[in-house]
């Protein structure tokens, strides 16, 4: 059974009781930061709290592993919008230990597609069209590698301003402890 009815019931009272007032802010990040991070459930509340951020302080862009797989994908577009349109003046890439993208079993995931009713011909058609599953579903060998690849892609992007620093971090998903991998855009040439 879906959780939608209980969410809608809660939402009705959330709005009626004006609980939203505690979260009112505008679209510009108060701390002028854009954060590319993982969608891991352990980070939803922990990461902002570990950074000392409250609602409205930063633009959070989330995906599996905080990985930029292509320079003109939606995550990079979001970073560019945050910088050029929403006054973000720094970018943080924050990965974490124990990430599901670490050594992701691409073939195992492709096998799961078939178990969920995806026609193997669809996979073959995509592969023949140049969409290679091993690249599309690629993870990384370590969280550090994943973060640094994303940091480099942002820094080297032809549309990203050189004056905006890009920092790389790893967070412990249990304690919130941060490890600095790259601080400021001058760290990595």
């Amino acid at each position: 059974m879906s959780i939608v009815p209980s969410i809608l019931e809660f939402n009705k009272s959330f709005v009626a009781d004006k609980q939203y007032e505690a979260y009112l802010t505008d679209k510009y990040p108060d701390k002028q930061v854009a954060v590319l991070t993982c969608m891991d459930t352990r980070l939803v509340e922990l990461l902002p709290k570990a950074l000392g951020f409250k609602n409205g302080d930063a633009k959070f862009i989330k995906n599996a592993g905080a990985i930029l797989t292509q320079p003109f994908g939606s995550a990079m577009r979001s970073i560019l919008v945050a910088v050029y349109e929403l006054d973000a003046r720094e970018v943080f890439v924050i990965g974490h230990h124990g990430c599901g993208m670490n050594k992701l079993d691409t073939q195992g995931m492709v096998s799961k597609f078939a178990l969920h009713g995806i026609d193997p011909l669809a996979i073959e058609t995509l592969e023949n069209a140049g969409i290679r599953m091993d690249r599309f579903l690629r993870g990384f060998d370590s969280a550090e590698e994943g973060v640094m690849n994303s940091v480099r892609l942002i820094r080297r992007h032809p549309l990203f301003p050189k004056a905006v620093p890009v920092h790389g971090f790893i967070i412990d998903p249990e304690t919130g402890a941060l490890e600095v991998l790259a601080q400021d855009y001058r760290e990595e040439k």
Side-chain angles (χ1 to χ4, degrees), residues 5-167:
S6 63
I7 288 173
L8 293 174
E9 185 64 31
F10 174 84
N11 181 258
K12 200 178 270 188
S13 62
F14 179 87
V15 173
D17 296 341
K18 297 185 178 188
Q19 293 178 46
Y20 58 85
E21 289 178 347
Y23 305 100
L24 291 175
T25 187
D26 64 26
K27 66 182 181 179
Y28 300 98
D30 292 338
K31 296 200 185 281
Q32 297 183 305
V33 173
V35 179
L36 173 63
T37 192
C38 185
M39 64 184 193
D40 191 293
T41 56
R42 296 171 290 178
L43 303 182
V44 172
E45 290 188 51
L46 177 67
L47 178 60
K49 297 238 189 279
L51 299 176
F53 288 178
K54 64 180 180 6
N55 194 54
D57 279 349
K59 291 294 180 186
F60 282 90
I61 303 148
K62 296 183 174 196
N63 67 16
I67 300 173
L68 292 175
T69 57
Q70 52 185 309
F72 294 97
S74 63
M76 189 64 214
R77 179 183 61 226
S78 296
I79 291 168
L80 292 171
V81 169
V83 168
Y84 285 106
E85 295 295 322
L86 301 172
D87 296 331
R89 296 291 165 247
E90 293 184 80
V91 175
F92 294 179
V93 178
I94 305 178
H96 65 94
H97 297 295
C99 184
M101 292 301 288
N102 190 15
K103 300 184 189 318
L104 181 71
D105 177 8
T106 302
Q107 287 309 311
M109 192 164 170
V110 169
S111 296
K112 290 177 184 176
F113 293 161
L115 294 174
H116 284 83
I118 304 301
D119 187 341
L121 184 58
I123 305 294
E124 185 179 331
T125 302
L126 289 169
E127 292 270 351
N128 289 336
I131 307 212
R132 295 183 40 216
M133 292 297 122
D134 62 335
R135 183 146 175 83
F136 174 63
L137 300 171
R138 180 187 65 216
F140 42 75
D141 289 332
S142 71
E144 292 82 0
E145 172 195 320
V147 167
M148 289 311 299
N149 283 340
S150 293
V151 166
R152 280 190 290 276
L153 198 148
I154 297 166
R155 288 177 178 169
R156 295 174 182 165
H157 196 280
L159 302 177
F160 191 80
K162 301 291 183 229
V164 174
V166 182
H167 312 287

